[in-house]
Amino acid sequence: MTQSTLSPEYSRYGKRNRLDKPELLAPAGSLEKLKFAVHYGADAVYIGGQQYGLRSNADNFSFEEMREGVEFAAKYGAKVFVATNIYAHQEDLDGIADYLRQLEAAGISAIIAADPVIIETAMRVAPKLEVHLSTQQSTMNWQAVQYWKDEGLPRVVLARETTMDEIREMKARVDVELEVFIHGAMCSSVSGRCVLSNHFTDRDSNRGGCCQSCRWKYDLHADEQSVSEPGDNLFTMGSKDLCMIQHLPDLIDAGVDSFKVEGRMKSIHYVATVVNAYRQAIDAYMADPEGYVLRPEWVAEIGKAANRPLNTGFFYTVPGTEEHIYEPEEKPAPYDFAAIVLDYDAATGIATVQQRSHFRPGTEVEFIGPGGRQFAQHITEIFDDEGNPLTVARHPMQKIRLVTAQPVEPFDLMRKRI
């Protein structure tokens, strides 16, 4: 059992302007991912529009898709936020007022912004939009939090470098919502202030174009000559990924209002699996804080979607060399995303799935669903949508029929062991 470290002094102040239950905020790089994030338990999702965001390579949302996403999320009591978090050059600002008005009209609950001009414009022309301060502002002290509260912002998304003790002091001193990243990729530069992408590819990280240059392989040179020996590994400079599922009580006791998962470029399987695990852990803690026990299956689920080795970021200590990845990465996740359940016939026990990665009879798979539903089986026979037997499901998006060992539901996922 994880013990709370909540001090008596903090207990007198720590619940000021605190949400009744921590919000689980999930990434959605597409409309399909939005629906899966909400279905698997996200209280809110953050997306990117086709302008003013920092994920230019994501499948960003049109206004029509935003409206559909808002309508879907509302059925589950969830909200949709839009990242408008670029640092704007002068030419970027053309049309910003109209863009923000259209976000408001689409039913978006809040924008996530860093540039003061975008913040001020939103407050002026789209007053129904909440403005949340982006992590791009690198907020790491309570005085800065107080400044943005005084400017009228109800929420501050803290820098990833903020420590647990600093969060406690912020929440004790300032009556404002705090949002922190609790899972996903970390930048090897402080608060993303990297110019390697600009230098190598002319793609600006702070305008949505990061080329992930810290993940590239590098050689070491001296006087224009490589000093590597034959057989030496090329090295990278990337950080390990963040994971705080084992420390949720500390975050909740510190007063964090919103738990943010990184990953708008990640797969449906990643979003659904990670959200599912954190949803169960948060609900279990809030239902019985004193009797809360971290369940090993939640940690195991996180591992099945992990892209890199995991750590706790800056929450407890400053990461050192051991928290970065220099050698070639070994993918820790032993599973690949294979299919999405579309339908299930209870009379025959046959599920119709949409293929996302090839599989065949004999493949060992797992089915997962919201709330921790899960079972494993070996696939026996598979058929196409017209009932013809198949030796392999090799065509992406193909509809496949197969017998499942237990009932399944639409939105359940099938993954295969590598």
Side-chain angles (χ1 to χ4, degrees), residues 75-274:
K75 295 177 183 178
Y76 291 80
K79 299 178 180 180
V80 180
F81 306 154
V82 172
T84 55
N85 51 349
I86 65 166
Y87 282 112
H89 289 246
Q90 195 62 48
E91 65 268 21
D92 295 325
L93 294 173
D94 292 340
I96 184 64
D98 184 60
Y99 178 79
L100 294 168
R101 291 189 188 100
Q102 291 188 70
L103 293 183
E104 183 182 58
I108 299 301
S109 295
I111 62 167
I112 305 166
D115 194 300
V117 175
I118 295 176
I119 292 170
E120 184 277 331
T121 304
M123 291 179 168
R124 178 167 46 83
V125 306
K128 293 181 182 178
L129 279 179
E130 283 192 2
V131 180
H132 299 170
L133 186 71
S134 171
T135 189
Q136 295 301 112
Q137 272 288 352
S138 304
T139 307
M140 290 180 280
N141 61 77
W142 72 263
Q143 291 95 333
V145 173
Q146 183 68 58
Y147 171 85
W148 289 108
K149 178 185 185 299
D150 292 344
E151 289 295 306
L153 275 63
R155 178 181 296 189
V156 173
V157 187
L158 299 178
R160 287 175 173 86
E161 294 81 20
T162 310
T163 69
M164 196 73 74
D165 287 341
E166 288 168 335
I167 294 171
R168 291 180 182 280
E169 184 170 13
M170 291 172 185
K171 198 64 182 180
R173 290 179 177 269
V174 187
D175 191 11
V176 73
E177 292 177 8
L178 298 180
E179 177 180 311
V180 302
F181 282 92
I182 52 95
H183 195 92
M186 296 282 284
C187 184
S188 59
S189 297
V190 175
S191 287
R193 302 195 187 286
C194 174
V195 295
L196 285 177
S197 180
N198 306 54
H199 177 71
F200 289 136
T201 66
D202 199 27
R203 288 167 50 180
D204 191 338
S205 300
N206 285 306
R207 300 175 81 185
C210 179
C211 68
Q212 301 284 311
S213 48
C214 61
R215 307 288 181 189
W216 295 1
K217 294 180 179 180
Y218 293 89
D219 197 358
L220 184 62
H221 284 68
D223 297 327
E224 300 184 359
Q225 297 293 321
S226 171
V227 298
S228 299
E229 297 293 335
D232 285 353
N233 286 323
L234 300 179
F235 70 93
T236 69
M237 298 181 286
S239 170
K240 294 181 180 179
D241 284 1
L242 176 66
C243 177
M244 288 295 287
I245 195 165
Q246 294 172 296
H247 305 278
L248 288 183
D250 282 353
L251 291 165
I252 294 171
D253 290 349
V256 175
D257 295 280
S258 181
F259 294 161
K260 189 170 192 173
V261 176
E262 181 276 338
R264 278 193 282 149
M265 302 290 286
K266 303 287 179 61
S267 70
I268 290 171
H269 176 247
Y270 168 90
V271 172
T273 301
V274 171

Side-chain angles (χ1 to χ4, degrees), residues 1-2 24 164 181-184 241-252 259-261 272-285 292-303 310-313 315-316:
M1 177 177 177
T2 303
L24 180 55
M164 196 73 74
F181 282 92
I182 52 95
H183 195 92
D241 284 1
L242 176 66
C243 177
M244 288 295 287
I245 195 165
Q246 294 172 296
H247 305 278
L248 288 183
D250 282 353
L251 291 165
I252 294 171
F259 294 161
K260 189 170 192 173
V261 176
T273 301
V274 171
V275 168
N276 203 12
Y278 278 98
R279 176 79 280 154
Q280 294 174 75
I282 293 169
D283 289 350
Y285 181 85
Y292 174 77
V293 176
L294 178 71
R295 294 173 60 177
E297 56 263 39
W298 301 334
V299 180
E301 279 298 292
I302 291 292
L310 305 171
N311 65 22
T312 57
F315 284 107
Y316 300 106

